[in-house]
Amino acid sequence: MAKQSVIEEALQTLKENGFKYTKKRATIIEFLAKKNRYVSAREVHEFMNQEFPGVSYDTVYRNLHDFSDFEILEETDLNGEMKFRIHCGHGAHEHHHHFICTVCGKTKEIHMCPMDFFEGQLQGCSIEGHRFEILGRCEDCQK
Ligand SMILES: [Zn+2]
Ligand SMILES: [Zn+2]
Ligand SMILES: [Zn+2]
């Protein structure tokens, strides 16, 4: 999916959830779309503070959490810190999972879903969702 359409889709989702378009919100989304890896709230705040001097960490953090509730972002706990990345576009992408580098936050897609293996062991349960992530170090971070 092209970066621009990921951003547009994200802004559309905000609107559908009753969030007003603001330059700050759009800037956070653009920043994360460009990064395309897991980034800490601190790093997002540092960037935002350059663009909008004085913006509070709380505002940035709250936005990141709201965005991940709307599935605009994905969040994960890396080394005890919540990190965020732009959610892979809905629709345009087939269901997949990620390998996540715990050092630089870069991700790789894994086109296989382990649920196929587990469903047989969960008879009688209704499954509402699942998470599956593989953590490790990417090629660059092993040097
Ligand atoms: Zn993905
Ligand atoms: Zn890495
Ligand atoms: Zn899956």
Side-chain angles (χ1 to χ4, degrees), residues 25-54:
R25 287 179 177 144
T27 305
I28 292 176
I29 290 164
E30 278 162 24
F31 175 70
L32 286 164
K34 208 160 59 200
K35 286 285 179 198
N36 199 28
R37 62 179 176 83
Y38 278 98
V39 177
S40 67
R42 215 161 11 87
E43 204 177 329
V44 178
H45 179 241
E46 266 165 36
F47 171 78
M48 287 298 285
N49 207 21
Q50 287 162 20
E51 302 288 307
F52 304 94

Side-chain angles (χ1 to χ4, degrees), residues 99-106 136-142:
F99 165 86
I100 304 168
C101 176
T102 56
V103 180
C104 69
K106 211 155 57 192
R137 285 171 182 242
C138 73
E139 301 95 321
D140 295 337
C141 294
Q142 286 181 50

Side-chain angles (χ1 to χ4, degrees), residues 95 97 111-122 127 130:
H95 178 77
H97 292 278
H111 290 275
M112 197 278 272
C113 179
M115 281 311 286
D116 303 342
F117 297 108
F118 300 133
E119 269 166 0
Q121 297 176 47
L122 297 168
I127 296 161
H130 65 278

